[in-house]
């Protein structure tokens, strides 16, 4: 069983930054692609970014140039650096482990964290 625990969310003013972390249990973290999703109130969960075991990344257009995904395999930890935050970035952010075949759909992921709230005030 894989456990994913997000942290680092909070309240920040527009233009500010936050770094989210996702700690993963188990010894196979480095073998899997990992992703970040978010869900705003009244909206469907949406893809934010993903990073493959090789380090290659895919980032949603809505956050490209502002958000950076990274991983530290030695620490079994996934990160999301969020800069130039906007009120529309307000959401619960989830990390998840990829099972394929794709990288951007909910169904491409098998294990999910409980989420961390990010609120951006204007």
């Amino acid at each position: 069983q894989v456990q994913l625990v997000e942290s680092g969310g909070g309240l920040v003013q527009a233009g500010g930054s936050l770094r989210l972390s996702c700690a993963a249990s188990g010894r196979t973290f480095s073998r899997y692609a990992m992703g970040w999703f978010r869900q705003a109130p009244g909206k469907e969960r949406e893809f934010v970014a993903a990073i493959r075991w090789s380090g290659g990344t895919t980032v949603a257009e809505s956050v490209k140039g502002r958000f950076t995904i990274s991983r530290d395999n030695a620490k079994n930890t996934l990160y999301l650096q969020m800069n130039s935050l906007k009120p529309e970035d307000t959401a619960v952010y989830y990390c998840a482990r990829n099972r394929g075949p794709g990288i951007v759909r909910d169904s491409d992921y098998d294990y999910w964290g409980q989420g961390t709230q990010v609120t951006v005030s204007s």
Side-chain angles (χ1 to χ4, degrees):
Q1 189 76 5
V2 174
Q3 288 189 321
L4 302 173
V5 180
E6 302 95 336
S7 61
L11 174 63
V12 63
Q13 288 188 331
S17 297
L18 283 174
R19 188 175 82 154
L20 305 184
S21 298
C22 172
S25 65
R27 291 181 284 183
T28 61
F29 174 80
S30 63
R31 302 179 190 174
Y32 289 89
M34 298 291 296
W36 287 99
F37 285 73
R38 67 186 182 185
Q39 187 167 22
K43 295 187 177 181
E44 293 189 354
R45 189 160 53 189
E46 65 173 355
F47 171 78
V48 175
I51 184 166
R52 296 164 184 79
W53 65 268
S54 60
T57 63
T58 300
V59 182
E61 285 297 322
S62 60
V63 304
K64 192 167 289 184
R66 300 188 298 120
F67 290 13
T68 303
I69 187 171
S70 62
R71 66 193 299 164
D72 185 334
N73 290 333
K75 296 182 178 180
N76 273 19
T77 303
L78 176 72
Y79 302 101
L80 185 68
Q81 178 67 44
M82 306 186 295
N83 299 329
S84 302
L85 282 160
K86 305 175 181 180
E88 51 263 43
D89 295 319
T90 295
V92 177
Y93 284 71
Y94 300 89
C95 68
R97 192 184 78 168
N98 183 262
R99 65 177 177 184
I103 203 80
V104 300
R105 300 174 302 175
D106 280 18
S107 59
D108 295 325
Y109 295 80
D110 53 4
Y111 290 97
W112 294 80
Q114 82 290 347
T116 186
Q117 176 71 47
V118 171
T119 303
V120 184
S121 62
S122 57

